[in-house]
Amino acid sequence: MKILIVPNLRKDGAAGHTREVIRRFIELGCEVTLGEQFSYIFENSGARFGNYSTELSRADMIVAIGGDGTIIHSAKDAVTADKPILGVNLGRLGFLAQLELQDLGLLGEIVAGNYRTEERMMVKATRVLPDSRRERYYALNDIVLSKGALSRMVDLDVRCQNEMVGAFRADGLIFATPTGSTAYSMSAGGPIVDPAIDSIVMTPICPHALGSRPLIFAPEKVLSVNQRIVNYTDKLYMTIDGEQAVMINPEDKIEIKRSTRRVKLVALDRRNFYEILSDKLSSRG
Amino acid sequence: MKILIVPNLRKDGAAGHTREVIRRFIELGCEVTLGEQFSYIFENSGARFGNYSTELSRADMIVAIGGDGTIIHSAKDAVTADKPILGVNLGRLGFLAQLELQDLGLLGEIVAGNYRTEERMMVKATRVLPDSRRERYYALNDIVLSKGALSRMVDLDVRCQNEMVGAFRADGLIFATPTGSTAYSMSAGGPIVDPAIDSIVMTPICPHALGSRPLIFAPEKVLSVNQRIVNYTDKLYMTIDGEQAVMINPEDKIEIKRSTRRVKLVALDRRNFYEILSDKLSSRG
Amino acid sequence: MKILIVPNLRKDGAAGHTREVIRRFIELGCEVTLGEQFSYIFENSGARFGNYSTELSRADMIVAIGGDGTIIHSAKDAVTADKPILGVNLGRLGFLAQLELQDLGLLGEIVAGNYRTEERMMVKATRVLPDSRRERYYALNDIVLSKGALSRMVDLDVRCQNEMVGAFRADGLIFATPTGSTAYSMSAGGPIVDPAIDSIVMTPICPHALGSRPLIFAPEKVLSVNQRIVNYTDKLYMTIDGEQAVMINPEDKIEIKRSTRRVKLVALDRRNFYEILSDKLSSRG
Amino acid sequence: MKILIVPNLRKDGAAGHTREVIRRFIELGCEVTLGEQFSYIFENSGARFGNYSTELSRADMIVAIGGDGTIIHSAKDAVTADKPILGVNLGRLGFLAQLELQDLGLLGEIVAGNYRTEERMMVKATRVLPDSRRERYYALNDIVLSKGALSRMVDLDVRCQNEMVGAFRADGLIFATPTGSTAYSMSAGGPIVDPAIDSIVMTPICPHALGSRPLIFAPEKVLSVNQRIVNYTDKLYMTIDGEQAVMINPEDKIEIKRSTRRVKLVALDRRNFYEILSDKLSSRG
């Protein structure tokens, strides 16, 4: 079994924990690789180093070591290569990591194939420019359209299957997957959606219309968003999974729909979703 | 075509409007019947009168004349007999009625078969008594578990597929269908769910745990609720679609799941869901 | 110094802790009394027993032993007799108790007069009956107007200084003091008000008008509430501090204003309000 | 009576309406002045033009013609010169303008002195730099501390009288006056505070801790805010009344307290606050 390991070395103790994961996989007879940028730090670990893209395509499984952010980032690479991903948690309690450090003994089960994979929906945003060029973005958590720091608000028209859903004046709009319903959307007042239901959650951020509520759209629906210009100094940004930001011009149109790509999370049924949720809710802050 | 008409005579002008609907269906060549309790008020209208259950089983379509409450009530009879239901609105703007009074000219389209039906999910609550007897209740909008007027709160343990979801201390819990997401659940802070997504929305009413959020469960999940007794003076009631209430004993268990029954609404594609929603939101209050 | 002790014996270990409090006050040279109903359980403790009202008027300080509910109940007696009240906490973390069991060593400070008192605003509700009779109720936390368990909602017109504030369709309305802002009002979505600001917080419970927001009224304002009858089966109840309930007739009018009575809490500056708040928020559930 | 007129010419029809206001005041025997930048557009109107600061100090009343934003901006100049301000509304329904265009007949009452003034609290923010320099900012609506568009959140420690209130992870914090409670704070979920109660409303924007609630502080309290650095790419901005923005360095401290300055609004008792509120709530969006 070929394992590609992607560690987030900014986490405390990440190098040591990664070395331990490498050691265990090698003992279990796996071939372990990392991107060549890690060769210096993990030399003599028994792992091989190579070009990240090449190793991604050759791996049987991606193992991301870090927090939920690390796993989200790597999951999008894993999905492109159609590989399953396993998260080893170095951060605070997370929804996506399946293994805590004290559970490394379970790596044997995984190598033996005793696991199932859980598919997670992704959302795709297409930015349609005035000259009809299309830029595509993929998110596992959320696509956020929001005002610039010095703008007062954005004014967005949202359509679903070309029918008007509403004109929203707000600090922004969050389009979240069920996976993302426990992230930024939750802070903005959104509901928590069972990852087993494909759907798109649209949560307004500080809506000026007080009655605004989160809306849950069926997964086959195509949403589109246009900026209604009130004031040219109001800037609009699109943020993808909180890690990439694009400035959107007033003439651009954004389309939001379910991606055909699906993340495959290695799942071990150790803790249920609601148990993690309950722990997170009482510890957040 | 055999039409069973169910009018809500408490609505202003209901008798006159019902007479008009009867006249139009007869002109269009339909056979129109009503329950025998209406024979006095609609005599000479050309309609026939009969036993409600018999006429229900013989009808091709149920036509409910009134508000959303009237339609919800009749829809549950229609679903038992597996008949489509058409709502004619006499109330404030509603989500379920497809025809306003000024649209009666469209009845010809319906008699000609130029309509589609839209299926709506129902939720089933089973009350399991200590002697294992089971009482079953069906809702198109919602099942609400709530405290008595003089109780301080209820304390409910919720499980999903036998795994603990949480212990909720609150005034109550609402289990809504997507159809019901625009009703009581919305007042309690719940999200609005596209009727095309089968799911169960659980919205807490005045939760003591401040972080409590509405949860959206996948439709194949079975939920169960137990009362955790804090104080024997705390009473628990179960309300079905806001029209039927049952007192629940501390030893009873409540199971909530999607019903296999589905309402078939006659749909005319005249107004989209979000247009109605936007009108409702700005007019409520 | 004469101390009247009011224990809540339903709390775990209350008898033993009360006996300890009695012993310490006697050692400090105080005269300790309890209501005569406690004579059996605390005989040989060194305390005297007498008629509750008489002892209340003769005491220098009331000491309530129990949770926030116990203190609220006794505080209203204390205020009638214009005496300061000290709460000793036997319950979960509370906002009103100043002493935890491990702090009983501080009783010496109190007997020595080394404490300040903190005044807390109360709210007064007057029920005006059709024959002009007036019933008066006093709350330290809140006056709640709410629907019966089987009603769908209440429909209430609220006026401030005879000017219309709004027509509210909701499960109910909470009128809270700043002290009560951390109780039921908080569960219904209300803000937390510094006990140093006299004001009345009106928080709607499950409002049908989605934009409804909690309103904070200046303390000199007089509010009045009338029931707008939609349906005679809808019942209205008034609950005072969650411990007394009155059924309100459709013809009754309710007036809400600041009481001239003020609770005097013995304060020791051991923990600040926001520290307790933060602990409560993370532990509630 | 000397009137200084401050029009917002970006509003539709502002020039014509301003000319009408000038004409009426002159007919009523007043001396009308405007800043010299308006001399070209209002020449031949009978008004005089002069240096804005000089005219401000010589005027008996400031008349701002525009929307709530225009009035807020001018009010801060008026307060510096200790003059009353009258707002004439050209925008959507507002809370601060006392005259609508159809009410210009009432200007006679104002010139005759038949009006009262209503004082409104302002909030003062002091930015304390590491070298102890202090920059002072004054707001009639709100001081907002918020993240940059591309930051994930800010992490702020808030103290009240040097006691810890809490550590807030959020998109930002709003510190609003009662006047500002109907502005941005309301969009972020804040309560509506009677302008007659001096207080500071702190409303978190998208708080990560789900239980976070708006807090209302007594007016004599001094709040201070420090940035807890999680990530140096996270930027913090301070916005004053939505019209001025300052970037805050990690080492800066922000102090928030009631200003000793108070706006004097010319008040005509034509519409009550709650009537305007109710109209705004149903029309926003």
Side-chain angles (χ1 to χ4, degrees):
Chain A
M1 193 176 183
K2 292 195 182 92
I3 304 288
L4 172 64
I5 290 186
V6 186
N8 178 353
L9 294 179
R10 281 169 302 177
K11 297 277 172 185
D12 281 350
H17 298 308
T18 300
R19 198 171 286 275
E20 171 70 8
V21 172
I22 293 170
R23 191 185 62 75
R24 286 181 180 254
F25 271 119
I26 288 174
E27 268 182 25
L28 291 162
C30 298
E31 184 185 332
V32 177
T33 61
L34 290 95
E36 49 211 351
Q37 74 271 34
F38 297 110
S39 61
Y40 183 76
I41 197 158
F42 297 115
E43 60 176 348
N44 303 325
S45 67
R48 287 196 311 99
F49 305 92
N51 172 276
Y52 178 67
S53 300
T54 311
E55 297 304 327
L56 184 65
S57 65
R58 294 178 51 211
D60 296 305
M61 183 181 289
I62 314 305
V63 175
I65 304 179
D68 271 4
T70 314
I71 301 169
I72 283 171
H73 183 85
S74 296
K76 290 193 282 189
D77 291 340
V79 89
T80 313
D82 196 27
K83 310 287 177 175
I85 179 165
L86 169 70
V88 177
N89 191 29
L90 298 186
R92 291 181 299 170
L93 178 62
F95 284 99
L96 293 174
Q98 287 291 321
L99 282 184
E100 302 295 321
L101 288 172
Q102 66 269 30
D103 303 329
L104 293 181
L106 294 169
L107 292 180
E109 293 299 307
I110 288 167
V111 172
N114 296 332
Y115 65 89
R116 57 179 187 82
T117 55
E118 186 182 315
E119 295 210 344
R120 291 289 178 99
M121 188 193 120
M122 293 179 71
V123 69
K124 175 186 176 183
T126 307
R127 176 189 184 193
V128 185
L129 291 116
D131 59 3
S132 297
R133 269 186 303 128
R134 302 171 82 85
E135 294 172 3
R136 290 169 187 83
Y137 302 92
Y138 298 86
L140 176 51
N141 263 349
D142 47 40
I143 300 288
V144 179
L145 294 170
S146 61
K147 71 179 188 74
L150 308 184
S151 304
R152 302 186 71 148
M153 67 180 128
V154 292
D155 224 305
L156 301 173
D157 284 352
V158 178
R159 286 178 178 76
C160 174
Q161 311 289 88
N162 289 319
E163 288 188 325
M164 190 71 177
V165 170
F168 294 86
R169 313 189 81 186
D171 280 10
L173 291 176
I174 302 167
F175 295 89
T177 63
T179 298
S181 73
T182 53
Y184 191 28
S185 172
M186 186 160 77
S187 293
I192 291 155
V193 181
D194 188 333
I197 314 178
D198 274 16
S199 62
I200 298 172
V201 182
M202 185 184 91
T203 307
I205 307 170
C206 295
H208 285 231
L210 296 191
S212 283
R213 282 300 163 80
L215 298 173
I216 322 280
F217 294 96
E220 63 278 10
K221 300 287 170 69
V222 179
L223 303 175
S224 69
V225 186
N226 280 92
Q227 210 175 342
R228 175 181 289 205
I229 291 309
V230 169
N231 192 329
Y232 258 91
T233 63
D234 291 340
K235 296 269 176 283
L236 180 65
Y237 292 89
M238 177 164 71
T239 311
I240 297 95
D241 276 341
E243 59 175 18
Q244 181 185 7
V246 185
M247 202 177 125
I248 302 300
N249 295 319
E251 303 76 14
D252 299 346
K253 190 173 82 168
I254 305 294
E255 279 178 12
I256 309 271
K257 55 188 271 194
R258 175 171 57 178
S259 169
T260 52
R261 303 176 182 184
R262 300 179 80 78
V263 167
K264 289 179 187 157
L265 292 178
V266 171
L268 288 161
D269 299 319
R270 308 206 54 250
R271 300 194 69 196
N272 86 62
F273 176 75
Y274 297 103
E275 223 181 308
I276 299 171
L277 181 64
S278 162
D279 285 1
K280 287 291 277 186
L281 291 185
S282 56
S283 72
R284 280 164 76 103
Chain B
M1 193 177 182
K2 291 195 182 94
I3 304 289
L4 173 63
I5 289 185
V6 187
N8 178 352
L9 295 179
R10 281 170 303 177
K11 296 278 173 182
D12 281 350
H17 297 309
T18 300
R19 198 170 286 274
E20 172 69 8
V21 172
I22 294 171
R23 191 184 63 72
R24 286 181 178 254
F25 271 119
I26 290 174
E27 268 183 23
L28 289 163
C30 298
E31 186 184 330
V32 178
T33 61
L34 292 95
E36 49 211 352
Q37 75 272 33
F38 296 111
S39 63
Y40 183 76
I41 197 159
F42 296 114
E43 63 176 345
N44 302 324
S45 68
R48 287 195 313 98
F49 305 93
N51 172 275
Y52 178 69
S53 300
T54 312
E55 297 304 326
L56 184 64
S57 66
R58 294 178 52 211
D60 297 306
M61 183 182 288
I62 314 305
V63 176
I65 305 178
D68 270 5
T70 315
I71 300 169
I72 283 171
H73 184 86
S74 296
K76 290 192 282 189
D77 291 340
V79 90
T80 314
D82 196 27
K83 310 287 178 172
I85 180 165
L86 170 69
V88 177
N89 191 29
L90 298 185
R92 292 182 297 171
L93 179 63
F95 284 99
L96 293 174
Q98 286 291 320
L99 283 184
E100 302 295 321
L101 288 172
Q102 66 269 29
D103 304 328
L104 293 182
L106 293 169
L107 292 180
E109 292 300 305
I110 288 167
V111 173
N114 296 331
Y115 65 89
R116 56 181 187 82
T117 55
E118 186 181 314
E119 295 210 344
R120 291 290 178 98
M121 188 193 120
M122 294 179 71
V123 68
K124 174 184 176 183
T126 305
R127 176 189 183 191
V128 185
L129 291 116
D131 59 4
S132 297
R133 268 185 306 127
R134 302 171 82 85
E135 294 172 4
R136 291 170 187 83
Y137 302 90
Y138 298 87
L140 176 51
N141 263 349
D142 46 40
I143 301 289
V144 179
L145 293 170
S146 61
K147 71 180 189 72
L150 308 185
S151 304
R152 302 185 70 149
M153 69 181 131
V154 291
D155 225 306
L156 301 173
D157 282 353
V158 178
R159 286 177 180 76
C160 172
Q161 311 289 87
N162 289 320
E163 287 187 326
M164 192 69 176
V165 171
F168 294 86
R169 313 190 80 187
D171 280 9
L173 291 177
I174 302 168
F175 296 90
T177 64
T179 298
S181 73
T182 54
Y184 190 29
S185 172
M186 186 161 74
S187 292
I192 291 155
V193 181
D194 188 334
I197 314 179
D198 275 17
S199 60
I200 297 172
V201 182
M202 186 183 92
T203 308
I205 306 171
C206 295
H208 285 231
L210 295 192
S212 283
R213 280 302 161 80
L215 298 175
I216 322 278
F217 293 97
E220 63 277 9
K221 300 288 172 67
V222 179
L223 304 175
S224 69
V225 187
N226 280 91
Q227 210 175 341
R228 175 180 290 204
I229 291 309
V230 168
N231 191 330
Y232 258 90
T233 64
D234 290 339
K235 296 271 177 281
L236 180 67
Y237 293 89
M238 177 165 70
T239 310
I240 298 95
D241 277 342
E243 59 175 20
Q244 182 186 5
V246 185
M247 203 177 126
I248 301 299
N249 295 319
E251 303 78 14
D252 300 345
K253 189 173 83 167
I254 305 293
E255 279 178 13
I256 309 270
K257 55 188 270 196
R258 176 170 58 177
S259 170
T260 53
R261 303 176 182 185
R262 300 179 82 78
V263 168
K264 289 178 188 160
L265 292 179
V266 172
L268 288 161
D269 298 319
R270 306 206 56 250
R271 300 194 72 197
N272 85 61
F273 176 75
Y274 297 102
E275 224 181 308
I276 299 171
L277 180 65
S278 162
D279 285 2
K280 288 291 278 187
L281 291 185
S282 55
S283 74
R284 281 163 78 103
Chain C
M1 193 175 181
K2 293 197 181 91
I3 304 289
L4 172 64
I5 290 187
V6 187
N8 178 353
L9 295 179
R10 282 169 302 176
K11 297 276 172 185
D12 281 351
H17 298 308
T18 300
R19 197 171 287 274
E20 171 70 8
V21 171
I22 293 170
R23 190 184 63 72
R24 286 179 178 255
F25 272 118
I26 288 174
E27 268 182 23
L28 291 163
C30 298
E31 185 184 331
V32 177
T33 62
L34 290 95
E36 49 210 353
Q37 74 272 31
F38 296 111
S39 62
Y40 183 76
I41 195 157
F42 297 114
E43 60 177 349
N44 303 325
S45 67
R48 288 195 312 96
F49 304 92
N51 171 276
Y52 178 68
S53 299
T54 311
E55 298 303 327
L56 183 65
S57 65
R58 294 178 52 211
D60 296 305
M61 184 182 287
I62 314 306
V63 176
I65 304 178
D68 270 5
T70 313
I71 300 169
I72 283 171
H73 183 86
S74 297
K76 289 193 283 188
D77 290 339
V79 90
T80 313
D82 195 27
K83 310 287 179 178
I85 180 165
L86 169 70
V88 177
N89 191 29
L90 298 186
R92 291 181 298 170
L93 177 62
F95 284 98
L96 293 174
Q98 286 291 321
L99 283 185
E100 302 295 321
L101 289 171
Q102 66 271 29
D103 303 328
L104 292 182
L106 294 169
L107 291 180
E109 293 298 306
I110 287 168
V111 173
N114 297 331
Y115 65 90
R116 56 179 188 83
T117 55
E118 184 182 315
E119 295 210 343
R120 291 290 178 98
M121 188 194 118
M122 294 180 69
V123 70
K124 175 186 177 183
T126 307
R127 176 189 184 193
V128 186
L129 292 117
D131 60 4
S132 296
R133 268 186 304 129
R134 301 170 82 85
E135 293 172 3
R136 291 169 186 82
Y137 302 91
Y138 298 86
L140 176 52
N141 263 349
D142 47 39
I143 300 288
V144 179
L145 294 171
S146 61
K147 72 179 188 76
L150 308 185
S151 304
R152 302 185 69 149
M153 68 180 128
V154 291
D155 224 306
L156 301 172
D157 283 354
V158 178
R159 286 178 179 74
C160 173
Q161 309 291 85
N162 290 318
E163 288 187 325
M164 191 71 178
V165 170
F168 294 86
R169 314 189 81 186
D171 280 10
L173 290 176
I174 302 167
F175 295 89
T177 63
T179 299
S181 73
T182 52
Y184 190 27
S185 172
M186 186 160 75
S187 293
I192 290 154
V193 181
D194 188 334
I197 314 178
D198 274 17
S199 61
I200 298 172
V201 182
M202 185 184 93
T203 306
I205 307 170
C206 295
H208 285 231
L210 296 192
S212 283
R213 281 300 161 82
L215 298 174
I216 323 280
F217 293 97
E220 62 277 9
K221 300 288 171 68
V222 179
L223 303 176
S224 69
V225 187
N226 281 91
Q227 210 175 340
R228 177 180 287 204
I229 291 308
V230 169
N231 192 330
Y232 258 90
T233 64
D234 290 340
K235 297 269 177 281
L236 180 66
Y237 293 88
M238 177 164 72
T239 310
I240 298 94
D241 276 341
E243 59 176 18
Q244 181 186 5
V246 185
M247 202 176 125
I248 302 300
N249 295 320
E251 303 77 14
D252 300 345
K253 190 173 81 168
I254 305 295
E255 279 178 13
I256 310 270
K257 54 188 270 193
R258 175 170 56 176
S259 170
T260 53
R261 304 177 181 184
R262 300 179 80 78
V263 167
K264 289 179 187 157
L265 293 179
V266 172
L268 289 162
D269 298 319
R270 308 207 53 252
R271 301 193 70 195
N272 85 62
F273 176 75
Y274 298 102
E275 222 180 311
I276 298 171
L277 180 65
S278 160
D279 285 2
K280 287 291 276 188
L281 291 186
S282 56
S283 72
R284 282 164 77 103
Chain D
M1 193 176 184
K2 292 197 182 91
I3 304 289
L4 172 64
I5 290 186
V6 187
N8 178 352
L9 295 179
R10 280 170 303 176
K11 296 278 173 182
D12 281 349
H17 297 309
T18 300
R19 198 170 286 273
E20 172 69 8
V21 171
I22 294 171
R23 190 184 64 73
R24 286 180 179 256
F25 271 118
I26 289 175
E27 268 182 24
L28 291 163
C30 298
E31 187 184 330
V32 177
T33 61
L34 291 95
E36 47 210 354
Q37 74 273 31
F38 297 110
S39 63
Y40 182 77
I41 197 159
F42 296 115
E43 62 177 345
N44 302 324
S45 68
R48 286 195 314 97
F49 304 93
N51 172 275
Y52 178 68
S53 299
T54 312
E55 298 304 326
L56 184 64
S57 65
R58 295 177 52 209
D60 296 305
M61 183 181 287
I62 313 306
V63 175
I65 305 179
D68 270 6
T70 313
I71 301 169
I72 283 170
H73 184 86
S74 297
K76 289 193 283 188
D77 290 340
V79 89
T80 313
D82 195 26
K83 311 288 178 173
I85 181 166
L86 169 69
V88 176
N89 190 29
L90 298 185
R92 292 182 298 170
L93 178 62
F95 285 99
L96 293 174
Q98 286 291 320
L99 283 184
E100 301 295 320
L101 288 173
Q102 65 270 28
D103 303 330
L104 292 182
L106 293 168
L107 292 181
E109 293 299 306
I110 288 168
V111 173
N114 296 330
Y115 65 89
R116 56 180 188 82
T117 55
E118 186 181 315
E119 295 208 344
R120 291 290 178 96
M121 187 193 121
M122 292 179 71
V123 70
K124 174 185 175 183
T126 306
R127 176 188 182 191
V128 185
L129 291 116
D131 59 4
S132 297
R133 269 186 304 129
R134 301 170 83 85
E135 295 171 3
R136 291 171 186 82
Y137 302 91
Y138 298 87
L140 176 51
N141 264 349
D142 46 40
I143 300 289
V144 179
L145 293 171
S146 60
K147 70 179 188 73
L150 308 186
S151 304
R152 302 186 69 148
M153 68 180 129
V154 291
D155 224 306
L156 301 173
D157 282 354
V158 178
R159 286 178 178 75
C160 173
Q161 311 289 87
N162 289 321
E163 287 188 326
M164 191 70 176
V165 171
F168 294 87
R169 314 190 80 186
D171 280 10
L173 290 177
I174 302 168
F175 295 89
T177 64
T179 299
S181 73
T182 53
Y184 190 30
S185 173
M186 186 161 75
S187 293
I192 290 155
V193 180
D194 189 334
I197 315 178
D198 275 16
S199 61
I200 297 172
V201 182
M202 186 184 92
T203 307
I205 307 170
C206 295
H208 285 232
L210 294 192
S212 282
R213 280 301 161 82
L215 298 174
I216 322 279
F217 293 97
E220 62 277 10
K221 300 288 171 68
V222 179
L223 304 176
S224 69
V225 187
N226 280 91
Q227 209 174 342
R228 176 179 290 203
I229 291 308
V230 169
N231 191 330
Y232 258 89
T233 64
D234 291 339
K235 296 270 176 282
L236 179 66
Y237 293 88
M238 177 164 70
T239 310
I240 298 98
D241 277 342
E243 57 177 20
Q244 182 186 5
V246 185
M247 203 177 127
I248 302 300
N249 295 321
E251 303 77 14
D252 301 345
K253 189 173 82 167
I254 305 294
E255 279 178 13
I256 310 271
K257 57 187 269 195
R258 176 171 57 177
S259 171
T260 52
R261 305 176 180 183
R262 300 178 80 79
V263 168
K264 290 180 187 157
L265 290 179
V266 171
L268 289 162
D269 297 320
R270 306 205 58 249
R271 301 193 70 196
N272 85 61
F273 176 75
Y274 298 103
E275 224 181 306
I276 299 171
L277 180 65
S278 161
D279 284 3
K280 288 290 279 185
L281 291 186
S282 55
S283 73
R284 281 163 77 103

